[in-house]
Amino acid sequence: MKLLIEHERADLSFNEDTNSIELVWKKFQNEEVYKMMFIKGIEYLHELGATGWLSDIRKEGVVGPATSTWLQTEIIPKAIAFGLTKIAVVMDKDVFKDFYVKGIEKTVGTCTMKYFDSKEEADKWLKQDLIQVF
């Protein structure tokens, strides 16, 4: 695991084992940090040739509709163009988070998106179908 950005609200990392960018929220996000983390995340996704994305949103807090729309219309299409094929979301049961992720799921197109209760389950799924180069 390579830490790319450490912030008081979230960490952004590259997981070589799953070839994924990981965004793990440590406390409630705000719009500025949210956008910065996703912009930097897809830049790293492109630069490192990652094909997966893991978002641990258990501590993210509520994302506003305008910010969610920005993610769906600006970031996800760019990430898919850069080679994103799998999105793993680690979340707890919450009405607002369900609404948020269901909105995102409608925009992922050819990308596969799944939900998990733990990071370990998400990592296992992200590793599936990866061609390991030794």
Side-chain angles (χ1 to χ4, degrees), residues 38-50:
F38 276 103
I39 289 167
K40 292 293 187 188
I42 65 163
E43 287 172 3
Y44 282 117
L45 179 120
H46 184 59
E47 178 185 319
L48 298 168

Side-chain angles (χ1 to χ4, degrees), residues 77-125:
K78 239 183 233 180
I80 292 170
F82 289 159
L84 180 68
T85 60
K86 289 175 130 181
I87 301 170
V89 180
V90 181
M91 60 184 275
D92 42 21
K93 302 295 179 221
D94 178 288
V95 173
F96 296 108
K97 287 181 183 170
D98 282 343
F99 183 74
Y100 167 69
V101 295
K102 295 298 181 199
I104 293 167
E105 192 171 30
K106 292 176 187 172
T107 65
V108 298
T110 58
C111 205
T112 305
M113 186 169 165
K114 286 197 169 195
Y115 311 101
F116 301 91
D117 295 324
S118 72
K119 188 177 174 313
E120 294 74 28
E121 290 175 38
D123 283 344
K124 186 177 177 182
W125 177 71

